[in-house]
Amino acid sequence: MTIPLKKSDPITVDVALGERSYDIVIGRGILPSLGERIAALRPGARVAVVTDACVATHWLQRAEASLTGAGLTTSRIVVDEGEVSKSYAGVEFVCEELIKARIERNDLVVALGGGVVGDLAGFAAAIVRRGVDFVQVPTSLLAQVDSSVGGKTGINSPQGKNLVGAFHQPILVVADTAVLDTLSPRQFRAGYAEVAKYGLIGDEAFFAWLEAHHADIVKGDAAREHAVATSCCAKAAIVARDERESGERALLNLGHTFGHALEAATGFCGRLYHGEGVSIGMVLAAELSAQLGMIAAADVSRIERHLAAAGLPTRLQDIAGFRQEGLADADALMTLMAQDKKVKRGRLTFILLKAIGQAVVSTDVEPSMVRDFLARKLADAPA
Ligand code: GLY
């Protein structure tokens, strides 16, 4: 990480992947530098900006002005907001528009948006003309600290989340922390769950810093850049060691096995945002770890206390209408978990905690034990 010379200088985090290495540039108010940064990497490239209708109203003109100001030719592809665009129809639309805009191998796709736009545009870039380069310009906290980094791209299948996709690394990530000012408080909090995750999986000191400073991150002062940069550093280091998730990268899925099942049970809708499912999932993972004798009960309480203090849901009953659909049914949740990408030969992968800052990957948790654990949690939850 390059330490800024003064507070207003951007922070640069390197994702070290040999000839596919790239920078994550993090700073307040850096969107206007996008064109200059891209022109330095790909002078004269044609640029197609993929964004959604909501992000377009806030940031598209500013992004385009920066690109054209740097002498780049631009076109725009605007998709519907939300998970609905991460579909076969969505990727077909983006690919056809890219081909129509004559985006060729030396040209560029810019993903301007949150996780949905990044995953969708990145996947289209991975497959159009067998692969064109792309740049991530993440506009949600979740995308800035997680989904824009590491090259996971894809869409949902009707049978599950992110089941169709490709690894395709961006050539640059530009994370302007000022764009997070327009997020709703709920969206911001949902992204914060992924920030807390980095403390839980490998950095107890960062978790303690978050306990003291989470309100400053929301306010948007230098604590926000520090939190985004620390998260990106942690992710970049893991991705550099295990790009294709053959081992350590799975740690980044702490809370996701439970969380994805909860998202699926609520129909991937506004009732439960991804980060909210991850927050509940991380508490469940901590409780399961305690049941296995791995983590102290005091640490589990500390985790739940912090996530709740940050305004995140931590319990199954925090989900609106949680007694409806498959949510209050341990067997239905087990069935949803069985569709997880991390299932190998029928074994679920869980990320468990030995302590705050010490996560481990486990493939030997007995499904019957998880089922009984969930059944007990559901029985304990007030109706
Ligand atoms: N979001 C988890 C990963 O990128 O591996």
Side-chain angles (χ1 to χ4, degrees), residues 93-374:
F93 172 72
V94 175
C95 288
E96 289 303 318
E97 291 297 307
L98 290 174
I99 295 165
K100 213 186 287 172
R102 303 208 178 287
I103 294 298
E104 295 167 358
R105 283 262 177 96
N106 294 330
D107 295 326
L108 266 184
V109 175
V110 168
L112 174 71
V116 166
V117 165
D119 287 4
L120 172 66
F123 186 41
I127 56 179
V128 160
R129 300 187 203 279
R130 296 206 177 91
V132 296
D133 286 336
F134 84 116
V135 170
Q136 289 269 21
V137 185
T139 59
S140 70
L141 179 58
L142 185 139
Q144 293 197 351
V145 299
D146 185 27
S147 59
S148 68
V149 176
K152 281 188 181 174
T153 71
I155 57 169
N156 301 326
S157 143
Q159 300 185 67
K161 197 171 160 82
N162 296 335
L163 290 182
V164 177
F167 283 98
H168 187 52
Q169 299 291 345
I171 62 162
L172 173 70
V173 180
V174 176
D176 181 345
T177 55
V179 307
L180 307 181
D181 293 344
T182 58
L183 295 178
S184 72
R186 187 178 164 207
Q187 277 174 321
F188 195 95
R189 287 194 297 270
Y192 181 79
E194 300 277 4
V195 177
K197 178 187 81 178
Y198 291 105
L200 293 177
I201 62 177
D203 190 345
E204 200 271 339
F206 182 51
F207 189 81
W209 182 84
L210 291 173
E211 288 175 308
H213 294 283
H214 64 93
D216 303 326
I217 298 169
V218 179
K219 269 189 241 147
D221 61 17
R224 188 185 285 176
E225 280 85 79
H226 179 73
V228 173
T230 305
S231 303
C232 287
C233 268
K235 180 151 186 184
I238 291 175
V239 168
R241 291 192 292 265
D242 179 23
E243 184 185 6
R244 295 286 175 129
E245 200 171 305
S246 48
E248 186 191 1
R249 184 164 178 172
L251 295 176
L252 296 170
N253 296 319
L254 175 67
H256 286 60
T257 304
F258 289 119
H260 279 166
L262 297 174
E263 277 186 272
T266 48
F268 298 111
C269 69
R271 262 173 66 202
L272 187 74
Y273 290 169
H274 173 72
E276 295 172 333
V278 169
S279 174
I280 297 170
M282 291 195 296
V283 174
L284 288 171
E287 288 172 334
L288 183 62
S289 307
Q291 189 174 308
L292 290 162
M294 296 173 66
I295 188 173
D299 276 352
V300 180
S301 306
R302 185 176 161 201
I303 294 166
E304 186 181 358
R305 239 186 352 263
H306 176 55
L307 295 173
L312 282 159
T314 57
R315 303 261 137 198
L316 291 165
Q317 61 266 33
D318 293 340
I319 303 170
F322 117 100
R323 290 271 166 210
Q324 296 157 19
E325 300 143 10
L327 263 173
D329 177 340
D331 291 312
L333 290 176
M334 290 302 292
T335 303
L336 289 168
M337 285 198 276
Q339 264 301 5
D340 197 275
K341 284 190 304 309
K342 299 177 287 302
V343 172
K344 287 203 186 100
R345 297 203 177 88
R347 305 290 298 187
L348 281 167
T349 301
F350 282 98
I351 313 308
L352 299 173
L353 290 168
K354 288 165 120 175
I356 292 175
Q358 275 184 57
V360 289
V361 181
S362 171
T363 51
D364 55 13
V365 185
E366 279 304 323
S368 60
M369 195 231 162
V370 181
R371 192 227 160 260
D372 292 348
F373 163 78
L374 282 173

